[in-house]
Amino acid sequence: MERAVTVACVQVEPAVLDRDATIAKLEQVAAEAAASGAELVVFPETFVPIYPSSRWAKAFAGWQDDGAKETFARIAHESVAVGSPAERRLGAVAKGHGIWLVTGVNEVDPVRPGTIYNALLFHAPDGSLALHHRKLVPTNHERLVWGQGDGRGLTAVETGFGRLGGLICWENYMPLARFALYEAGVELYVASTADDGDAWQATLVHLARESRAYVISPSHFQRESAYPDDFPLRRELEGAGTIGRGGSAIVAPDGSYLAGPLYDAEGILYAELDPATLLAERQRFDPAGHYHRPDVLELAVSPSARAADARPSTRPSAR
């Protein structure tokens, strides 16, 4: 890291299934965070326009469930395509406040919009899309909603205060995906999530201690009351109350909490990240530096390869 920086980890509810209203809320919250001195503002997994909770996404397994089909169509219609007015609006937020903005979105390809992806969009202070990551493997019920991503986002970008990258929810359990970030020199590690379980906090501590990076983890927060009356799968929500309770946190490279975890409420967590702390923690362990053996262990990443294009490795197996 080049210098200290204040970051904001956002835990707020989206305007469910309403892309434009959700981005309007993002604009307000980002303005508040920037006014408080944040230079990096991070929003939760698929904040725009909804995270598909297992509470209702299980209905997607129904072969002839009209409510599931209608819900998928609405998510796709309210998703974000790179290059679209919605994506450019996110870039304008970053540029308008001179911040780095990281947003979890449901994403569609403008040419082939029939598949939805779980994506992280990293917008730079000049408004450009500096990094675009699609979740490699959707988890459990998510496979009924999202397609598999590719390797284009398995890297880190220079921000002027440190190298920034991230993974989405349970792909943080993929050792090789994490190591791709380590080899890219990640120092500010975004781990956006929908996991509100207690065990996720242990994961965040491990990520910080293994990466020796700062971990910023915004978690989705949802309540039954936020869903519109015409939500096609409303029957699945009856009596749910709180659907996603949050758990957002900012963790230092030694695994200590700088902010959070925040549960059962909307809020913005702030922390000032000090480069001296990061360097001090790498004295004994640097996963892609002095504690790495590239002569013995090697990772190869195919940035443009999609799941359907994957081929078995021709390299010798490690023994």
Side-chain angles (χ1 to χ4, degrees), residues 158-204:
E158 184 54 63
T159 63
F161 47 77
R163 292 189 64 79
L164 173 67
L167 297 174
I168 304 168
C169 205
W170 275 30
E171 68 176 350
N172 283 285
Y173 289 129
M174 299 172 72
L176 300 184
R178 295 199 307 272
F179 194 73
L181 295 190
Y182 302 163
E183 285 203 316
V186 69
E187 296 168 315
L188 297 94
Y189 186 137
V190 174
S192 62
T193 191
D195 190 337
D196 62 0
D198 293 338
W200 179 252
Q201 299 303 319
T203 295
L204 295 182

Side-chain angles (χ1 to χ4, degrees), residues 30-317:
E32 178 184 344
S36 297
E39 295 183 66
L40 169 64
V41 182
V42 185
F43 283 81
E45 178 178 9
T46 58
F47 178 66
V48 185
I50 189 63
Y51 173 78
S53 168
S54 60
R55 177 87 189 199
W56 50 264
K58 61 188 177 183
F60 280 43
W63 186 250
Q64 290 294 334
D65 191 316
D66 290 337
K69 291 180 179 180
E70 183 180 349
T71 299
F72 182 89
R74 288 180 65 174
I75 295 173
H77 184 264
E78 298 298 317
S79 291
V80 176
V82 170
S84 69
E87 187 262 314
R88 293 197 299 271
R89 192 173 167 189
L90 296 175
V93 173
K95 185 174 183 178
H97 298 292
I99 59 174
W100 280 85
L101 177 69
V102 184
T103 313
V105 302
N106 287 275
E107 183 212 349
V108 290
D109 186 319
V111 178
R112 295 177 294 276
T115 296
I116 307 172
Y117 300 95
N118 179 342
L120 280 180
L121 303 181
F122 296 69
H123 285 92
D126 65 359
S128 64
L129 182 60
L131 186 61
H132 174 196
H133 173 61
R134 287 175 173 173
K135 190 173 185 180
L136 294 169
V137 182
T139 304
N140 197 44
H141 65 282
E142 297 171 356
R143 301 184 191 193
L144 301 171
V145 183
W146 296 319
Q148 291 190 320
D150 52 46
R152 77 182 78 182
L154 293 178
T155 188
V157 293
E158 184 54 63
T159 63
F161 47 77
R163 292 189 64 79
L164 173 67
L167 297 174
I168 304 168
C169 205
W170 275 30
E171 68 176 350
N172 283 285
Y173 289 129
M174 299 172 72
L176 300 184
R178 295 199 307 272
F179 194 73
L181 295 190
Y182 302 163
E183 285 203 316
V186 69
E187 296 168 315
L188 297 94
Y189 186 137
V190 174
S192 62
T193 191
D195 190 337
D196 62 0
D198 293 338
W200 179 252
Q201 299 303 319
T203 295
L204 295 182
V205 171
H206 173 79
L207 288 178
R209 288 178 57 82
E210 182 180 76
S211 66
R212 289 305 202 262
Y214 287 102
V215 174
I216 305 105
S217 181
S219 183
H220 91 116
F221 177 64
Q222 283 187 35
R223 290 167 293 195
E224 178 185 357
S225 59
Y227 281 76
D229 291 339
D230 63 350
F231 179 58
L233 294 174
R234 174 157 284 283
R235 68 181 185 275
E236 305 291 346
L237 293 176
E238 293 178 2
T242 298
I243 298 170
R245 64 186 185 126
S248 300
I250 304 173
V251 184
D254 63 355
S256 63
Y257 281 84
L258 299 176
L262 173 65
Y263 289 106
D264 299 313
E266 292 188 308
I268 307 174
L269 301 177
Y270 296 96
E272 182 174 336
L273 312 187
D274 181 1
T277 299
L278 183 147
L279 291 172
E281 289 304 316
R282 291 187 175 184
Q283 181 260 328
R284 287 186 293 179
F285 186 83
D286 182 4
H290 62 75
Y291 217 100
H292 179 34
R293 286 293 306 276
D295 56 326
V296 178
L297 303 168
E298 180 184 8
L299 171 65
V301 178
S302 300
S304 62
R306 299 179 184 274
D309 300 328
R311 298 290 186 271
S313 173
T314 58
R315 291 184 299 152
S317 301

